[in-house]
Amino acid sequence: MNKPKIGVIGTPGKWSTEVLAERLKERTGYSLVIDMKDVELRLDTNQLMYKDVDLAQLDGLIVKKISEVYSPATEDRIHMLSHMENLGIKIFSPAQSMGKLINRLSGTLALQAGNVPMPKTRITESEEQAFASVREFGSAILKPLYSTKARGMEILTENDSDESVKATLAAYRKANSIFYIQQTVELDGRDLGMVFLGGEYLCTYARVGNKDSWNTTINSGGKYELFEPTPELIELGRQAQGCFNLSFTTVDIALTNQGPVVFEVSAFGGFKGALEGCGIDAAAAYADYVLEEVAK
């Protein structure tokens, strides 16, 4: 019996993409890393071509990273994959599930509908309303609708003058169609990444920030550590990821003096936090999961 051929959509040369492709090759002898910018959807023949390979002929596609920077163009790539999925191609995670999380607002609304606790959040196109919300919150973060790893975020504090806040809002509005304003929460210098595979809990790691940055992302000098969550905290993560039906994901959770809150659910999830923080090869676990699913 021929072993299945699974392609990995991601960023060629990047560790998380390449390690997943390598884990699949170890199990099947086949490896293909796909850059979506070079993919062509042929609607006349219902082919999805990458170079000389028709991806529709593979047994499945894993989307590790659909683009380096989120934008409305990223949603176009999701639509291409969704069309092929409708024709019977197995895609991990499902295209509709990923699509909800490319835009921060749609992801937030799904969590809100699922009664998942989040920091206070306001959405508006009005600079006047945005200014009022920032002053009401005291300290707030402006978050672009299309961004990852805290890129493009702006923090405003109660110590900022009215003029400074208004100038920041005006500059932000020129680059963004709408204000997404979230009240800051008091962290103890860390937040949590809770990893789920096929809806089942895998592990939790902490991202511990350095003293020079307001956020804990690894891009800003943070590091990973193991964290042992309570059953109640695991259930919160399960509730959050359950809003999206993802094959593999990481739920970002903060522990505050008012209880835990969810920042966001990742459309793709990360492998490095599970490896460095928990000692778990999540790429290998994901490869095994996908191979089991395509065999059904």
Side-chain angles (χ1 to χ4, degrees):
M1 181 177 177
N2 293 331
K3 292 184 177 180
K5 293 182 177 181
I6 309 296
V8 176
I9 295 173
T11 307
K14 285 295 183 75
W15 178 81
S16 61
T17 297
E18 297 293 344
V19 73
L20 180 56
E22 182 61 29
R23 295 296 179 267
L24 287 164
K25 186 177 182 179
E26 291 168 359
R27 288 154 173 78
T28 67
Y30 183 81
S31 175
L32 178 65
V33 172
I34 302 150
D35 190 335
M36 277 297 293
K37 70 178 176 59
D38 296 320
V39 171
E40 179 187 36
L41 174 60
R42 298 178 179 176
L43 291 175
D44 53 318
T45 58
N46 278 326
Q47 291 177 296
L48 191 67
M49 300 301 299
Y50 178 67
K51 299 180 179 178
D52 59 347
V53 179
D54 180 5
L55 302 181
Q57 299 304 310
L58 300 183
D59 296 286
L61 294 169
I62 304 177
V63 185
K64 184 60 196 77
K65 192 76 172 177
I66 199 160
S67 62
E68 276 298 290
V69 179
Y70 287 2
S71 71
T74 307
E75 295 176 317
D76 296 336
R77 295 179 175 185
I78 293 288
H79 292 318
M80 292 170 66
L81 294 177
S82 181
H83 177 74
M84 301 311 296
E85 191 175 45
N86 290 337
L87 295 175
I89 309 305
K90 292 187 176 181
I91 296 177
F92 305 88
S93 295
Q96 185 179 19
S97 299
M98 292 185 293
K100 289 182 181 179
L101 289 163
I102 299 302
N103 179 300
R104 190 183 304 278
L105 179 55
S106 62
T108 298
L109 294 176
L111 290 170
Q112 183 78 9
N115 295 314
V116 175
M118 300 184 71
K120 289 182 180 179
T121 305
R122 303 280 173 83
I123 315 295
T124 183
E125 296 181 35
S126 165
E127 286 187 32
E128 181 180 346
Q129 292 296 332
F131 176 78
S133 292
V134 169
R135 282 314 189 206
E136 179 185 336
F137 287 166
S139 180
I141 303 174
L142 299 175
K143 296 185 175 184
L145 296 191
Y146 298 95
S147 75
T148 60
K149 302 183 187 301
R151 294 185 184 95
M153 294 185 185
E154 297 278 356
I155 187 164
L156 299 167
T157 74
E158 58 189 7
N159 295 323
D160 295 328
S161 67
D162 287 355
E163 291 73 16
S164 174
V165 170
K166 289 178 180 179
T168 299
L169 291 172
Y172 174 92
R173 187 64 175 82
K174 288 179 180 179
N176 297 274
S177 61
I178 199 168
F179 292 103
Y180 179 109
I181 308 160
Q182 199 162 72
Q183 187 176 42
T184 59
V185 295
E186 288 293 331
L187 301 177
D188 58 357
R190 63 182 176 176
D191 67 346
L192 309 178
M194 189 173 289
V195 186
F196 288 86
L197 175 61
E200 297 300 320
Y201 173 72
L202 195 62
C203 71
T204 301
Y205 57 85
R207 283 178 294 255
V208 183
N210 67 32
K211 294 180 291 185
D212 299 324
S213 176
W214 62 269
N215 69 72
T216 62
T217 64
I218 304 306
N219 279 5
S220 299
K223 62 180 182 179
Y224 297 116
E225 291 181 356
L226 178 65
F227 184 88
E228 296 292 348
T230 64
E232 292 78 13
L233 200 58
I234 293 174
E235 188 53 38
L236 172 60
R238 193 185 311 279
Q239 177 187 354
Q241 64 87 38
C243 296
F244 302 100
N245 184 36
L246 296 157
S247 303
F248 180 85
T249 188
T250 303
V251 182
D252 290 347
I253 299 176
L255 304 178
T256 78
N257 56 7
Q258 297 180 346
V261 295
V262 172
F263 282 144
E264 63 182 12
V265 176
S266 170
F268 310 108
F271 296 150
K272 191 158 285 186
L275 184 62
E276 296 183 5
C278 309
I280 291 177
D281 188 342
Y286 197 7
D288 289 337
Y289 169 81
V290 168
L291 291 173
E292 290 176 6
E293 289 296 306
V294 299
K296 292 180 177 178

